[in-house]
Amino acid sequence: MSERRTGKEKSWRLCRKKPQTLDDDSGEDEPRNGNENVTLELKAKLPKTADKSSTYDLVVIGGGSGGLAAAKEAVELGAKVAVLDFVTPSPQGTKWGLGGTCVNVGCIPKKLMHQAALLGEAVHEAVAYGWQLPDPNTVQNDWSALTNAVQSHVKSVNWVTRVELRNKKVEYLNALGYFKDANTVVGVGKNGEEKLLSAKNIIIAVGGRPRYPDIPGALEYGITSDDIFSLDRAPGKTLIVGAGYIGLECAGFLNGLGYDTTILVRSVVLRGFDQQMANIVAEEMEQRGVHFVYQAKPKAIEKQDDGRLLVHWVDRDGALHQDAYDTVLFAIGRRALTQELKPENVGLKLIPDTGKIDALNEQTNIPNIYAVGDVLHKKPELTPVAIHAGRLLARRLFGGSHEKMDYTNVATTVFSPLEYGCVGLSEEDAIALHGDDNIEVYHAYYKPTEFFVPQKNVKHCYVKVVALRKDDQKVIGMHFVGPHAGEVIQGFAAAIKCNLTFRALKSTVGIHPTTAEEFTRISITKRSGLDPTPQSCCS
Ligand code: FAD
Ligand code: NA7
């Protein structure tokens, strides 16, 4: 473990020569595919490193959510830190700047596209509220304007991130890192030039990239979430392969933007999530026009003479089907980028198949090598998880802290058109863990006030609380399908962290009229068999 720095050393750090100037062209901030019109002109530069070798308290491989959080925290605590970040272009040639998945090809562009789709829906609602608009059915989204706007924002975040690293004196290298030995990382720049970085501690924060199925045509013609947010043409009729978090979200916003969208579901929707809630989400999406093909696996993709993609798939009975699409997007899970680190050079153990790292308290089997974020085995693949774990790890390494990351009760939200937020256990996991007799499930359908005037379908607005049956009924899971689910569930996640009981939830006074208050009004147990449908908005 690294020693802590004293206050004296800290002031030395603050006075030492600035480690970097942004004066070497990395070229990584050039416009992406089809976004030559991106207005923000960035002249970002790589730090000029005079030496071919340097020594650090901490080298972080991967400048995404977890790596940057750890690096910034470590530097605040007086450590000398370098971060390597490098994006290998996708098979379709898409690349991006500093900041990792969330900022460039994940949470942020996804939420912006989700918002774009919600606004399209709002146009129709606005008319019911008296807004005088052109016929909403003639209103269309301009894909190129949307991707340009999204990419402009992403570029601005890339830039701010680089400036922040410079200001905080974190040394940044646009280089692909691999292990030479347990204390040496080799950084390979774009031009192939190698730099050695010696480090007392190394954090692996390389995240993952989308997987492709091993079928003919997948790599040539398919795209993934790496490409969709900067696609240089409107996606048109789209097939999404995979019905996990990313597949459903992409299908949701593409359908909302007006594109004919189909999801190929191998087994179930949103595996790992509460299946009753997952099916409500899917049913709601289906009602909006998303097509679901269940129990189907892709077999091949061919390019037709007209440029469209002919997709062949097999159903559960082995029968073959085909249809033509303009875009095929794979969302079949992500691969950890650990093989590229040359783990064999240090004896780093990886989980076979997934390449993930099983690290107790983020420490790998090599004592001075740590890992945070999406590379971790059986940990939630979420940005705030990576950030929190990275920060706590840096505090333990350089700040004398003993606080460990708690990976339980992490809230999340699927940004499907009608969002699904949850925290804690699913109903089935709660039953598996505690037994049916020891679990009480409360549930209710509800009617958001804002849905009445435009006569929006309330059929799928549903809340569920999973509690233990004994004593004050500790709440162990909360599930919400409805508008702004993420905003609703976040505060309840804090309550669960504070050992929320059903009794405390029921004694909480709601805010009326909101959808979050439905959790405070919930009273019908599934066990009772009573109808959970409300008679009025205020019943
Ligand atoms: P990353 O952010 O992936 O960063 C790793 C970085 O390391 C990358 O820049 C990579 O290029 C770089 N790298 C890899 N190998 C090397 C190497 N050898 N040398 C140098 N650099 C390397 N999470 C949420 O919380 N909310 C959401 O709404 C959400 N939506 C998502 C939507 C999509 C479409 C996707 C794909 C993900 C989403 N996520 C969301 C997940 C979130 O993006 C990840 O959990 C998070 O980015 C993980 O952070 P990380 O630091 O582990 O890795
Ligand atoms: P997930 O959540 O692992 O979902 C992957 C989906 O793809 C899931 O429905 C799988 O079906 C399906 N899948 C997996 N392999 C195949 C193949 N070969 N063919 C067809 N379908 C397949 O991954 P995501 O990419 O959606 O999300 C990853 C994380 O990113 C997520 O946890 C968020 O936190 C952010 P299955 O259920 O296995 O049958």
Side-chain angles (χ1 to χ4, degrees), residues 24-32 42-46 95-97 155 162 172 174 190:
D24 180 13
D25 194 0
S26 72
E28 70 162 6
D29 286 317
E30 285 157 16
R32 305 160 188 222
L42 298 176
K43 302 270 184 249
K45 308 288 165 94
L46 240 192
K95 56 185 179 135
W96 50 89
K155 297 266 166 200
R162 300 189 89 176
Y172 160 58
N174 181 207
K190 253 184 17 177

Side-chain angles (χ1 to χ4, degrees), residues 191-206:
N191 53 9
E193 193 185 348
E194 296 203 338
K195 182 178 173 181
L196 296 183
L197 297 97
S198 307
K200 290 184 199 139
N201 303 284
I202 297 167
I203 297 180
I204 301 168
V206 293

Side-chain angles (χ1 to χ4, degrees), residues 216-281:
L219 278 170
E220 293 93 318
Y221 308 125
I223 65 163
T224 67
S225 53
D226 281 356
D227 311 295
I228 187 72
F229 304 113
S230 57
L231 199 66
D232 60 2
R233 56 173 176 85
K237 181 179 170 187
T238 301
L239 178 72
I240 293 184
V241 181
Y245 177 109
I246 293 172
L248 284 201
E249 290 187 336
C250 290
F253 69 68
L254 289 177
N255 177 67
L257 292 170
Y259 303 106
D260 182 327
T261 308
T262 301
I263 305 183
L264 216 56
V265 187
R266 183 170 69 172
S267 55
V268 295
V269 165
L270 286 177
R271 186 154 54 86
F273 286 85
D274 186 294
Q275 280 302 293
Q276 183 198 6
M277 306 305 286
N279 289 327
I280 289 175
V281 169

